[in-house]
């Protein structure tokens, strides 16, 4: 990726990289080394107004472009993203820290959404009812909202923008991406790839900024919709401000995902999946399993087996070919994780694996936390109530499946959950009883494929619509219903002043 000044990350406005007029900057770190690698430009009010005005004009023309031409751009974009996986993954790992194979995994899930968006001619088909009354037909179609802004989190620098942008653009909108200020570079490459795919300038733009920039997007009269993914307090704030300003909003929030392990489960299989779902990406996934709910006799053996796996995890710079897990995102995140673990231990929980003092040779300044398992956690402890967002698995012991379900339903979050069992009846009871949007049965990270939609319940999502898939099409469009009469000749029947009936 090119930058106009070395180690400075610019905005991408109207088809070109530009420093804009804002004078603020923010340092970008490599979390594995703790070193500053670049300075990120931050937009000012003029940059925001320029970007929105360009998006407005671009939306007016792009929304009128034929479905055939939109689809051709998306197909080309899909090919370009696929052929730049290596480069995108390097950018992700350098700023996020996750291991390269994991970075490629998130790009793969983003590609699936682009592929789904390539089917937009079918997805936008309307309805038609012939002769609903004599000589009258009714039909419907959907139109783009106009200008949509996406505000995205640090933990999936490519996948989450691709949950939004291909869907918004396929449906005829102009899209402004405000990426996380911790991981901005991959978004810039996506912008270049959109341009190379033939997307007209201004339809996809990247604006880096701080809270003022976000406020500007939430309140700007020319922004029609907001897609947000991030933590719950921010999701709630975004929803309140943007809806008060008349925007359509979907805001996905944080999570505390529980997995119930029944005694009849294959415990080796469950332990493999639990370790992967708790410690993969250093636990910094919104679908990470952070609470293992061990039922009855399952607990002791399960904890032993997950411990064995945790101790084998190779924590290294994500670019190392044999790395299983990288660092956490910031020193502040590390401090919060360590504090929460220390408090749980002080409150009587059992530290089964302690990752607090991990040192990675040659990377002493990186933001490291090793895999950590805390057993006998109580629901009043911060280790249970807080979204730790680090490589920490807490184990809560219960006696029955019903008790486990009650625990999940009492939790304020409802993003994802899983059950490990060999009983179909137990799994069915679980899937019908939990107040959670995405459920895995012997599947730890049940992220829906692109032709379903992704979304949690309760404090994990504000707004009516889940993201991507059919609900994504619906979110980025507004319906029109046309009632039409084309009389062959005019029969003067006089005006009727009653409500029309068919
Ligand atoms: P975050 O909420 O701190 O930031 C998300 C975005 O909001 C960023 O672009 C950031 O710049 C902006 N932001 C931060 N504070 C803001 C404020 N006060 N006002 C306005 N904007 C603000 O989240 P993060 O730390 O980048 O990402 C991790 C969080 O995202 C976790 O809580 C995780 O569960 C959640 N997440 C949820 C999903 C999901 O699908 N539900 C997916 C990925 C991540």
């Amino acid at each position: 990726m090119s930058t106009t000044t070395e180690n400075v990350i610019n905005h991408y406005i109207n088809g070109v990289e530009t420093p804009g007029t804002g004078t603020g900057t923010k340092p970008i770190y490599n979390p594995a080394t703790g070193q500053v690698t670049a300075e990120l430009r931050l937009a000012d009010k003029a940059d925001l107004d320029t970007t929105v005005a360009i998006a407005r004009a671009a939306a007016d023309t792009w929304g009128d472009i034929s479905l055939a031409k939109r689809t051709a751009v998306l197909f080309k974009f899909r090919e370009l993203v696929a052929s730049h996986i290596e480069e995108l993954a390097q950018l992700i790992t350098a700023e996020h820290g996750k291991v390269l194979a994991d970075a490629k995994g998130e790009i793969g899930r983003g590609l699936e959404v682009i592929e789904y968006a390539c089917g937009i001619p079918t997805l936008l088909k309307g309805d038609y009812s012939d002769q609903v009354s004599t000589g009258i037909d009714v039909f419907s179609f959907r139109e783009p909202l106009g200008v949509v802004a996406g505000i995205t989190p640090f933990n999936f620098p490519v996948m989450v923008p691709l949950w939004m942008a291909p869907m918004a653009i396929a449906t005829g909108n102009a899209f402004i991406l405000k990426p996380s200020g911790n991981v901005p570079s991959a978004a810039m490459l996506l912008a270049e790839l959109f341009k190379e795919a033939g997307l007209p300038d201004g339809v996809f733009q990247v604006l880096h900024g701080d809270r003022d920039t976000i406020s500007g997007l939430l309140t700007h009269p020319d922004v029609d919709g907001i897609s947000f993914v991030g933590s719950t307090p921010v999701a709630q704030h975004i929803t309140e401000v943007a809806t008060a300003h008349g925007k359509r909003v979907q805001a996905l929030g944080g999570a505390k995902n529980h997995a119930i392990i029944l005694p009849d489960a294959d415990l080796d299989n469950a332990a493999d999946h639990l370790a992967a779902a708790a410690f993969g990406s250093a636990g910094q996934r919104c679908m990470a399993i952070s609470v293992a709910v061990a039922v009855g006799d399952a607990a002791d053996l399960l904890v032993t087996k997950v411990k064995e796996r945790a101790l084998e995890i190779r924590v290294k710079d994500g670019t190392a070919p044999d790395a299983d897990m990288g660092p956490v995102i910031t020193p502040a995140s590390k401090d919060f994780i360590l504090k929460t673990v220390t408090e749980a231990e002080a409150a009587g929980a059992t530290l089964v694996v302690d990752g607090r003092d991990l040192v990675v040779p040659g990377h002493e300044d990186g933001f490291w936390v090793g895999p950590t398992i805390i057993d006998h956690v109580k629901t009043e402890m911060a280790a249970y109530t807080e979204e730790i967002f680090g490589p920490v698995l807490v184990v809560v012991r219960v006696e029955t499946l019903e008790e486990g379900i009650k625990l999940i339903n009492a939790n304020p979050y409802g993003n994802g959950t899983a059950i490990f069992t060999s009983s179909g009846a137990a799994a069915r009871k679980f899937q019908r009883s939990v107040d959670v949007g995405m459920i895995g049965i012997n599947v730890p990270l049940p992220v829906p494929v692109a032709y379903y939609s992704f979304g949690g319940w309760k404090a994990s999502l504000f707004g009516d619509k889940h993201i991507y898939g059919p609900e994504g099409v619906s979110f980025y469009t507004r319906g029109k219903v046309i009632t039409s009469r084309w009389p062959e000749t005019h029969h003067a029947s006089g005006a009727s002043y009653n409500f029309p009936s068919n």
Side-chain angles (χ1 to χ4, degrees):
M1 193 192 64
S2 62
T3 46
T4 50
T5 310
E6 210 183 349
N7 294 335
V8 172
I9 300 164
N10 291 308
H11 312 287
Y12 198 93
I13 300 174
N14 206 17
V16 286
E17 279 194 30
T18 167
T21 55
T23 53
T25 61
K26 175 186 183 304
I28 300 301
Y29 291 86
N30 180 335
T33 62
Q35 303 303 309
V36 173
T37 54
E39 289 291 320
L40 176 69
R41 304 255 189 219
L42 300 177
D44 64 9
K45 171 92 171 55
D47 294 325
L48 172 82
D49 287 339
T50 305
T51 307
V52 175
I54 289 163
R56 180 87 264 158
D60 289 344
T61 47
W62 178 247
D64 229 16
I65 296 273
S66 72
L67 289 172
K69 288 191 174 130
R70 279 188 229 165
T71 309
V73 170
L74 286 161
F75 266 97
K76 186 87 194 290
F77 180 61
R78 191 259 168 224
E79 289 309 295
L80 287 166
V81 172
S83 61
H84 286 77
I85 285 184
E86 196 61 48
E87 208 176 335
L88 283 165
Q90 293 283 351
L91 293 173
I92 294 171
T93 298
E95 292 176 353
H96 176 287
K98 68 176 70 175
V99 305
L100 282 172
D102 192 34
K104 288 177 191 168
E106 78 158 272
I107 300 164
R109 297 308 295 260
L111 275 168
E112 289 178 15
V113 178
I114 309 174
E115 287 157 10
Y116 178 77
C118 286
I120 198 64
T122 309
L123 297 169
L124 277 183
K125 276 167 78 172
D127 292 321
Y128 196 107
S129 298
D130 174 56
Q131 194 77 340
V132 297
S133 187
T134 307
I136 293 187
D137 304 330
V138 173
F139 55 98
S140 68
F141 56 89
R142 300 191 72 83
E143 289 190 344
L145 292 182
V147 175
V148 182
I151 300 163
T152 52
F154 82 82
N155 64 330
F156 287 107
V158 167
M159 183 182 78
V160 171
L162 291 181
W163 282 358
M164 304 171 179
M167 301 302 303
I169 289 171
T171 47
N173 299 279
F175 188 83
I176 301 169
L177 175 62
K178 203 304 286 176
S180 161
N182 294 320
V183 292
S185 292
M188 297 299 285
L189 181 51
L190 290 179
E192 287 180 13
L193 299 181
F194 264 127
K195 176 154 176 132
E196 200 180 330
L199 190 71
D201 291 347
V203 179
F204 179 85
Q205 302 183 92
V206 181
L207 190 69
H208 306 289
D210 56 16
R211 286 176 198 182
D212 289 342
T213 309
I214 294 170
S215 288
L217 289 168
L218 302 182
T219 56
H220 201 294
D222 275 334
V223 174
D224 303 291
I226 301 284
S227 288
F228 172 88
V229 176
S231 59
T232 289
V234 182
Q236 190 159 9
H237 164 76
I238 297 276
T239 305
E240 285 164 8
V241 176
T243 51
H245 286 81
K247 322 278 179 236
R248 184 175 290 193
V249 184
Q250 58 179 181
L252 283 68
K256 192 81 178 173
N257 304 313
H258 298 54
I260 292 191
I261 303 90
L262 293 184
D264 65 11
D266 173 342
L267 289 186
D268 280 309
N269 177 55
D272 282 341
H273 284 309
L274 275 181
F279 306 126
S281 199
Q284 299 172 118
R285 294 177 179 142
C286 60
M287 291 291 275
I289 294 293
S290 50
V291 183
V293 183
V295 177
D297 295 345
D300 287 342
L301 195 52
L302 180 78
V303 170
T304 304
K305 286 178 183 293
V306 183
K307 176 181 175 178
E308 284 165 15
R309 285 151 179 84
L311 292 175
E312 284 171 3
I313 292 173
R314 292 160 298 195
V315 186
K316 293 184 173 187
D317 187 320
T319 57
D322 59 344
D324 295 316
M325 191 186 116
V328 298
I329 189 69
T330 57
S333 169
K334 174 175 174 165
D335 290 349
F336 176 70
I337 296 165
L338 300 194
K339 176 171 155 280
T340 313
V341 174
T342 302
E343 279 175 13
E345 190 183 28
T350 311
L351 215 45
V352 177
V353 180
D354 183 357
R356 286 176 296 181
D357 295 327
L358 179 81
V359 176
V360 175
H363 288 72
E364 286 75 8
D365 295 330
F367 314 143
W368 303 103
V369 182
T372 299
I373 301 175
I374 322 176
D375 197 359
H376 298 285
V377 168
K378 303 291 174 211
T379 53
E380 61 276 11
M381 294 177 185
Y384 180 79
T385 57
E386 297 287 333
E387 181 184 29
I388 302 176
F389 224 56
V392 180
L393 180 67
V394 307
V395 181
V396 178
R397 293 171 177 237
V398 298
E399 286 310 314
T400 61
L401 170 62
E402 291 70 21
E403 203 186 329
I405 291 172
K406 216 168 147 189
L407 184 76
I408 291 172
N409 289 347
N411 193 278
Y413 297 105
N415 212 39
T417 188
I419 186 167
F420 288 90
T421 180
S422 54
S423 160
R428 188 165 187 276
K429 178 177 193 148
F430 179 76
Q431 79 198 22
R432 297 191 76 240
S433 311
V434 283
D435 298 336
V436 176
M438 294 171 284
I439 298 166
I441 295 169
N442 298 311
V443 171
L445 298 174
V447 175
V449 289
Y451 37 98
Y452 283 75
S453 297
F454 180 110
W457 284 16
K458 302 194 284 185
S460 295
L461 187 143
F462 300 87
D464 300 329
K465 297 288 177 197
H466 291 191
I467 206 162
Y468 68 74
E471 297 204 22
V473 175
S474 167
F475 179 78
Y476 292 121
T477 55
R478 289 183 290 196
K480 269 185 177 168
V481 180
I482 319 294
T483 303
S484 140
R485 170 160 49 199
W486 291 102
E488 287 174 24
T489 50
H490 182 70
H491 299 289
S493 53
S496 166
Y497 298 97
N498 299 328
F499 196 69
S501 58
N502 293 318

